[in-house]
């Protein structure tokens, strides 16, 4: 593993080097590269988010990316993909309280809201929809509504069941059998 990256390195890679196509349609090669470059950083932040990760709006953005986005690449199709969601959500709440989301470029702002969308709490899902409504991007709002609808229907994301060792209910099995079920 490489050394622990600085917040500005995280943001430069995720927001400047990669594109939205990379974010939402990753490849095994990209997942492996993210793991090789950022696993040590993810592990360090999972142990504690130090002051350098809250020193500026961009640093807060970096912490959220490391805790929320990177694990979905590094640990795809495993329980580790969701293991730091609660930390990402905590950092997102703190960042919003500090107004950090409004202090970064519009094209990066949605990352502050995604930990709410990834939560299996209906209250967090409702907040996600509110945040994405205010954000004003129809695509992100559509995803937020779809995530909330799944949590409203099942109380959890059924597509995570297999990875987390949860038994799917008959209703969840019907949902999962539909084309494009899950996220």
């Amino acid at each position: 593993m490489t050394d622990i990256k600085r917040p500005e390195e995280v943001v430069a890679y995720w927001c400047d080097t990669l594109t939205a196509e990379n974010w939402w349609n990753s490849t095994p090669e990209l997942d492996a590269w993210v793991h090789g470059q950022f696993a040590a950083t993810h592990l360090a932040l999972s142990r504690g988010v130090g002051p350098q990760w809250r020193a500026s709006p961009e640093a807060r953005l970096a912490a959220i990316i490391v805790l929320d986005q990177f694990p979905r690449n590094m640990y795809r199709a495993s329980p580790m993909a969701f293991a730091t969601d609660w930390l990402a959500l905590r950092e997102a709440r703190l960042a919003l309280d500090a107004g950090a989301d409004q202090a970064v470029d519009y094209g990066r702002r949605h990352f502050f809201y995604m930990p709410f969308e990834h939560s299996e709490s209906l209250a967090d899902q409702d907040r996600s929809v509110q945040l994405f409504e205010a954000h004003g991007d129809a695509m992100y709002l559509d995803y937020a509504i779809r995530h909330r609808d799944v949590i409203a229907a099942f109380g959890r994301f059924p597509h995570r069941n297999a990875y987390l060792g949860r038994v799917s209910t008959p209703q969840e099995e019907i949902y999962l059998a539909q084309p494009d079920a899950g996220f």
Side-chain angles (χ1 to χ4, degrees):
M1 283 201 272
T2 60
D3 60 334
I4 297 169
K5 305 296 185 191
R6 296 182 323 275
E8 57 270 18
E9 292 175 287
V10 169
V11 172
Y13 173 70
W14 195 250
C15 297
D16 297 332
T17 302
L18 296 184
T19 65
E21 179 69 21
N22 302 122
W23 298 336
W24 316 132
N25 299 301
S26 189
T27 64
E29 295 78 20
L30 178 60
D31 289 351
W33 199 89
V34 170
H35 186 275
Q37 293 297 307
F38 297 102
T41 306
H42 178 257
L43 181 59
L45 264 67
S46 74
R47 291 179 175 148
V49 178
Q52 72 273 23
W53 295 91
R54 295 178 181 147
S56 70
E58 291 284 326
R60 288 178 181 274
L61 172 65
I64 293 167
I65 290 168
V66 169
L67 294 168
D68 185 65
Q69 295 297 305
F70 283 175
R72 284 167 164 74
N73 289 87
M74 296 186 300
Y75 307 116
R76 190 176 304 281
S78 87
M80 292 289 293
F82 318 109
T84 55
D85 280 4
W86 70 277
L87 293 168
L89 186 58
R90 180 193 68 198
E91 293 306 309
R93 286 185 175 118
L94 292 170
L96 294 179
D97 288 346
D101 61 320
Q102 298 301 309
V104 301
D105 179 78
Y106 176 83
R108 299 175 178 185
R109 204 170 287 167
H110 61 277
F111 289 114
F112 287 100
Y113 312 146
M114 294 188 78
F116 296 93
E117 184 177 281
H118 292 153
S119 171
E120 290 187 322
S121 158
L122 186 55
D124 291 335
Q125 289 295 324
D126 288 339
R127 184 147 189 219
S128 168
V129 170
Q130 292 170 349
L131 291 165
F132 281 113
E133 281 176 341
H135 184 57
D137 184 295
M139 180 194 72
Y140 287 122
L141 177 58
D142 176 62
Y143 275 100
I145 291 168
R146 290 171 45 208
H147 279 74
R148 183 193 58 198
D149 290 350
V150 169
I151 296 300
F154 304 108
R156 61 189 184 173
F157 291 117
H159 64 279
R160 294 183 186 177
N161 290 351
Y163 306 128
L164 297 176
R166 302 187 302 208
V167 177
S168 293
T169 67
Q171 295 83 6
E172 289 173 334
E173 289 175 4
I174 292 168
Y175 165 75
L176 290 169
Q178 296 175 17
D180 299 321
F183 302 97

